[in-house]
Amino acid sequence: MRAPMSWLREFVAIPADQTGRDVAERLISAGLEVETVETTGEGVIGDLVVGRVNRIEELTEFKKPIRWCQVQIGPDTVNGIICGARNFVEGDLVVVAVPGTELPGGFRISARETYGKTSNGMICSERELGLGDNHDGIMVLPEGTAEPGADAKPIIGIGDEILDIAVTPDRGYALSIRGIAREVAIAYGLAFEDPGTALADLPAPVAGHALQECATEAPTGCDLFTMRTIVGFDPQAPSPLWMQRRLVACGMRPVSLAVDVTNYVMLELGQPLHAYDMGKLKGVVRADWARAGEPFESLDHVQRTLRTDDLVIRDDTGVIGLAGVIGGLHSEIDDDTTAIALEAAHFIPQVVARAGRRHKVSTEAGRRNERGVDRDLAPYASARAAALLLQFGGGDYAGMTAVETPEEPVVITLPASHPEDVAGMDIPAVMVVRILQVIGCTIADQAADVLNVTPPSWRPDLTDPADLVEEVLRIIGYDALPSTLPTAPLGRGLTAPQRIRRRVGMALASRGFVEVLSYPFVGVAELDALQLPSDDPRRVAPRLANPLSEEQPSLRATLLPGLVAAARRNASRGHADVALFEVGRVFQGDVAHESGERPGVHGRPQDDEWESLNGLLPRQPHHVAGILAGTREPQGWWGPARAASWSDAIEVVRVLADVAGARIEVTPGADPAFHPGRCASITLDGSVIGHAGELHPRVIEATGLPERTAAFEVDLDAIADAAVPIRPAPAIGTQPVAKEDLALVVDVTVSAEDVRAALAEGAGELLESVRLFDVYTGSQVPEGKKSLAFALRFRAPDRTLSADETAAARQAAITAAQQRCGATLR
């Protein structure tokens, strides 16, 4: 909300020595967020004068139309000025920057030769003076504004300070000059004459004119509806200059007198108004609920389809407005409107907010209505607007029709000692009463220990004792509250799952991975790029009711889309060697649609209530995932570079399980996102908890990743559950080790892991380790076979192994491999 200081001073006698920045400091202390203090026309240095265009000569010998204007800028002074604008005629009053004046941006005006003439000055537009963005033509002042040569700065508002205030959703009253002026009066301790309760002096209704009837058929959405009727209005009457200047200062564009008046009163008092062309209305105008699928074309030329919980304004022809949000195209006023039906109503904020978000339309009226408008304000605001329309547009006032539903007053019970209990400082009850009265509350028994407080109509946000306490404390000043740091409770350290996650992150970082944090939102396109079939459980995830982007409306059930996007972004910027990982939650399964009874907020829910609430949510386990592309080991004196491969991804998963103390099994696997021959399933206690390997070529092509990109993703919660609380230290043998190497020939379809497991089982307890160190396929082994070379290490804890013991263990391992895998010794 932009609030000119000159407008605020009309309602509050702000001391003359107080600048806009001084007022901003007071408002900030009172809890309003003043973002900036601007000065209208800042950068204008020198004289701006009112000029009258005496004569215009059209210069036609140039490529574009140019005018040579004789402009009177004083009783006896006429300057010749070159101007290209076409929106003025002889006799018009304009704003002239005389030679020596400097305009915003450091543009200095001087007498200069141009188009064969000497131009002595410049006829200015709004944008050139820093007053607004309008550059369609120069500023034309209404006749009688001032005499030629008069100072134009105060006339057009140059030098006025404007407070730009960010209004929070609970302070809708501050979206008006009335509300901000009240806060200024409170901050300075000054008197405030409320313009919202001053009924404008309207003439008596003229008999013989038909009134526009109104009604409300949706009292739960609109509890107050008024219509004022004005006939004989002059649609060509211009808005007064002061009104246009204030609209521009507040960030609104002047349109026409009828539109400008409704916008002006909305800014002044905070009550949105809507003017209808009465000649386009038929029957009673009424607030009503829309019918399912009912069409409506709004002022922005958008065809909308309504739902049954959309509150609308309709007449006998159909919907003519989305209540509190935007009017209809076919009932708007135009250049021929002579009869105006002026609507002022009170709508329920939740209804307006829902409609605005559903139909994706944000308007100044909607911003105010969804925050809550003063329920008592509508007839006063419409009277103010009607008076302005009659004053500047003429016509007859025909009268008002209104309908209202009964209102139950809100009474809040507040112990007088509650504010000081919350603040931790002495706040006498008499001060509590005085402050509540200052903000507009009424209190039945001011001397009672428990106060019965009725909030003012313009503060619908005051509903609980805590709200009143907040008002008392902000008026006192938050800086006056004592600062007492709470005693920190004894810490218990990290939980076991937290320690595992931290340990896993450190292990990945030590191996050259960089952690990323990606948005937890995905769309169909990302899942399609991973080649996931339609029945894949990773496609079943909660869909957001109000997503940041319609292209990513769901929560993620896998971490891979975010990592793929990060890797692709790095590669597109020339950093193709990446090793990225992420630890985060995934969301598996949809949200249950049935909702049980909500527990109260007075205490922790009961165990059965807690379980019932959790049962409505999807599973949200922690996963860890990573992606590798490009060079894994750089070239150096030690040898050539090595590219990242599927084996690196699998090895990383082994390391993660090892640091957690969990025993996993790595077996050949299949996943639609991975290469069918270079994918491993990660199994823990018989359940698959993830996959690792090289991404599928089609995935790499669809996502734009480097060739042979590898990745992994595993359920980190499952690893944490299987982790040992304290990892035992490795046993260090003091006896000599016996080394045996052997090569076994097996079918190419037999995995090395199966052979390794058979050797380990057959060798028995004397085996310390078994490691695959070579794989050979070629002419020295039969076709369809491969040779696997393993290094076996034997050691006894209490003695030196004899040659016979070592040979027996070696032979037992070979026998087990022969029996389980069909291996033969090479």
Side-chain angles (χ1 to χ4, degrees):
M1 175 67 190
R2 295 169 59 85
M5 283 289 294
S6 59
W7 205 348
L8 293 173
R9 290 183 187 276
E10 288 188 4
F11 297 144
V12 183
I14 302 173
D17 62 342
Q18 294 293 291
T19 66
R21 298 193 179 279
D22 296 328
V23 174
E25 290 181 6
R26 296 288 187 106
L27 291 177
I28 291 172
S29 298
L32 292 181
E33 183 181 349
V34 182
E35 293 187 326
T36 59
V37 179
E38 303 174 6
T39 301
T40 304
E42 189 172 16
V44 176
I45 303 173
D47 295 332
L48 293 177
V49 298
V50 176
R52 183 181 297 278
V53 181
N54 288 342
R55 185 167 59 87
I56 299 175
E57 178 185 349
E58 302 288 347
L59 304 181
T60 59
E61 62 268 29
F62 302 101
K63 292 183 178 180
K64 63 179 181 178
I66 295 297
R67 304 173 118 186
W68 171 240
C69 308
Q70 300 300 315
V71 184
Q72 181 183 355
I73 60 171
D76 302 314
T77 306
V78 177
N79 282 12
I81 300 175
I82 289 289
C83 184
R86 316 292 297 176
N87 68 316
F88 64 99
V89 297
E90 293 179 356
D92 279 349
L93 293 176
V94 295
V95 178
V96 178
V98 299
T101 301
E102 185 175 312
L103 299 184
F107 181 60
R108 190 173 184 82
I109 305 300
S110 61
R112 61 192 180 93
E113 292 290 333
T114 181
Y115 295 101
K117 306 288 185 181
T118 300
S119 183
N120 270 309
M122 178 178 175
I123 305 176
C124 302
S125 69
E126 285 185 1
R127 192 168 70 181
E128 290 162 343
L129 295 175
L131 299 178
D133 295 329
N134 187 7
H135 197 56
D136 295 337
I138 56 95
M139 296 177 61
V140 178
L141 305 179
E143 183 60 36
T145 299
E147 292 298 321
D151 186 3
K153 287 184 177 180
I155 297 174
I156 61 178
I158 293 288
D160 192 9
E161 292 180 298
I162 301 175
L163 309 182
D164 193 352
I165 303 173
V167 180
T168 54
D170 62 329
R171 298 195 181 276
Y173 69 92
L175 286 171
S176 67
I177 300 297
R178 174 200 185 200
I180 297 172
R182 187 191 306 277
E183 291 294 325
V184 172
I186 294 173
Y188 279 92
L190 301 173
F192 176 69
E193 293 294 332
D194 189 357
T197 58
L199 191 61
D201 186 15
L202 288 173
V206 178
H209 295 300
L211 287 176
Q212 178 58 58
E213 297 293 335
C214 66
T216 177
E217 297 177 3
T220 57
C222 174
D223 52 9
L224 174 63
F225 197 82
T226 71
M227 296 288 283
R228 292 187 188 270
T229 304
I230 297 174
V231 296
F233 175 77
D234 180 8
Q236 304 302 321
S239 302
L241 180 64
W242 58 266
M243 182 181 294
Q244 295 184 42
R245 297 277 65 78
R246 283 186 172 174
L247 290 174
V248 171
C250 292
M252 304 190 77
R253 181 176 62 88
V255 178
S256 65
L257 177 59
V259 174
D260 293 349
V261 164
T262 57
N263 287 335
Y264 180 83
V265 174
M266 178 182 68
L267 293 172
E268 182 180 60
L269 302 180
Q271 171 67 53
L273 303 168
H274 189 75
Y276 298 95
D277 186 334
M278 192 171 171
K280 300 176 182 178
L281 302 178
K282 184 177 180 181
V284 178
V285 174
R286 53 201 181 272
D288 192 10
W289 298 111
R291 300 176 180 89
E294 192 169 14
F296 166 61
E297 187 173 4
S298 51
L299 284 170
D300 53 0
H301 299 273
V302 175
Q303 189 72 40
R304 307 180 188 278
T305 301
L306 304 177
R307 300 185 187 180
T308 55
D309 56 352
D310 286 328
L311 184 67
V312 299
I313 307 299
R314 70 168 71 249
D315 66 357
D316 291 350
T317 65
V319 177
I320 59 175
L322 189 58
V325 181
I326 191 170
L329 180 64
H330 303 296
S331 60
E332 67 171 333
I333 57 176
D334 53 34
D335 294 341
D336 299 321
T337 299
T338 59
I340 295 177
L342 186 63
E343 169 204 300
H346 180 262
F347 302 109
I348 304 305
Q350 294 85 342
V351 175
V352 177
R354 180 177 61 226
R357 283 157 179 76
R358 171 181 296 159
H359 296 284
K360 295 180 175 58
V361 55
S362 177
T363 61
E364 290 292 333
R367 289 182 62 211
R368 288 160 175 81
N369 282 316
E370 71 183 12
R371 285 166 168 78
V373 175
D374 184 350
R375 189 185 187 278
D376 299 340
L377 186 59
Y380 296 94
S382 66
R384 168 72 165 151
L388 290 172
L389 289 171
L390 293 170
Q391 179 183 353
F392 297 107
D396 295 331
Y397 175 58
M400 181 183 80
T401 58
V403 60
E404 181 180 13
T405 59
E407 178 192 16
E408 286 293 331
V410 176
V411 179
I412 303 173
T413 301
L414 175 72
S417 61
H418 191 32
E420 69 176 12
D421 293 340
V422 173
M425 61 181 291
D426 183 35
I427 304 178
V430 64
M431 179 181 293
V432 174
V433 171
R434 180 180 62 80
I435 291 175
L436 293 177
Q437 290 177 328
V438 164
I439 66 173
C441 297
T442 57
I443 303 173
D445 186 358
Q446 301 177 12
D449 293 335
V450 177
L451 306 176
N452 292 320
V453 182
T454 302
S457 58
W458 60 84
R459 293 298 303 272
D461 58 301
L462 302 181
T463 58
D464 297 290
D467 299 326
L468 300 179
V469 171
E470 180 183 0
E471 291 298 304
V472 171
L473 298 186
R474 78 176 183 89
I475 298 302
I476 291 175
Y478 293 124
D479 55 349
L481 302 182
S483 298
T484 304
L485 292 176
T487 302
L490 295 176
R492 299 183 179 180
L494 300 176
T495 64
Q498 288 173 332
R499 288 196 297 270
I500 293 296
R501 291 196 291 271
R502 177 170 294 187
R503 197 182 304 164
V504 164
M506 293 176 64
L508 286 166
S510 68
R511 281 157 178 79
F513 280 76
V514 176
E515 185 174 14
V516 298
L517 295 175
S518 58
Y519 281 114
F521 311 122
V522 296
V524 175
E526 288 100 321
L527 301 179
D528 289 343
L530 292 177
Q531 310 294 321
L532 301 184
S534 59
D535 58 349
D536 193 290
R538 285 167 291 187
R539 286 187 178 270
V540 182
R543 182 181 176 88
L544 301 174
N546 189 24
L548 293 177
S549 170
E550 288 296 339
E551 295 180 355
Q552 294 180 318
S554 301
L555 292 174
R556 65 189 179 193
T558 170
L559 298 180
L560 288 181
L563 286 169
V564 166
R568 181 177 61 245
R569 193 159 46 247
N570 278 271
S572 68
R573 286 160 173 75
H575 190 69
D577 302 333
V578 295
L580 308 176
F581 82 95
E582 180 172 8
V583 175
R585 288 188 183 274
V586 296
F587 306 86
Q588 300 173 341
D590 204 351
V591 179
H593 294 288
E594 64 276 4
S595 57
E597 183 177 351
R598 294 188 178 182
V601 297
H602 57 279
R604 183 187 184 280
Q606 300 296 323
D607 290 344
D608 57 341
E609 293 176 327
W610 182 255
E611 291 298 327
S612 176
L613 292 174
N614 280 332
L616 301 176
L617 301 176
R619 289 188 65 248
Q620 303 174 49
H622 284 89
H623 277 202
V624 57
I627 192 166
L628 303 99
T631 301
R632 183 63 178 145
E633 295 178 1
Q635 179 181 355
W637 56 265
W638 52 85
R642 184 179 67 83
S645 70
W646 59 271
S647 59
D648 292 306
I650 296 174
E651 180 60 25
V652 167
V653 175
R654 292 184 185 274
V655 170
L656 299 185
D658 182 64
V659 298
R663 293 182 177 274
I664 62 170
E665 293 183 16
V666 179
T667 58
D671 185 276
F674 289 86
H675 191 294
R678 300 167 187 159
C679 174
S681 291
I682 313 302
T683 306
L684 180 65
D685 295 335
S687 299
V688 176
I689 63 169
H691 293 86
E694 182 180 314
L695 290 177
H696 198 289
R698 287 199 294 267
V699 173
I700 292 175
E701 181 181 2
T703 56
L705 292 174
E707 293 183 357
R708 312 298 290 269
T709 297
F712 67 88
E713 180 172 9
V714 294
D715 187 339
L716 189 54
D717 281 354
I719 292 178
D721 291 340
V724 293
I726 300 177
R727 293 185 62 199
I732 300 177
T734 59
Q735 302 298 325
V737 64
K739 302 178 180 180
E740 292 289 338
D741 294 343
L742 52 88
L744 300 175
V745 179
V746 295
D747 290 340
V748 293
T749 58
V750 176
S751 70
E753 173 62 23
D754 289 343
V755 178
R756 188 206 64 80
L759 291 173
E761 182 179 346
E765 61 181 12
L766 294 179
L767 181 68
E768 184 176 80
S769 67
V770 56
R771 179 177 62 86
L772 175 70
F773 68 87
D774 185 54
V775 178
Y776 173 76
T777 57
S779 60
Q780 297 183 24
V781 295
E783 185 177 354
K785 302 288 185 176
K786 63 182 176 181
S787 172
L788 304 177
F790 292 91
L792 283 68
R793 300 294 180 260
F794 299 94
R795 193 196 307 263
D798 55 352
R799 67 188 185 281
T800 300
L801 292 176
S802 66
D804 292 340
E805 288 178 309
T806 303
R810 178 180 183 276
Q811 185 57 46
I814 294 173
T815 301
Q818 290 173 337
Q819 294 174 350
R820 289 179 52 179
C821 304
T824 59
L825 187 63
R826 182 180 173 190

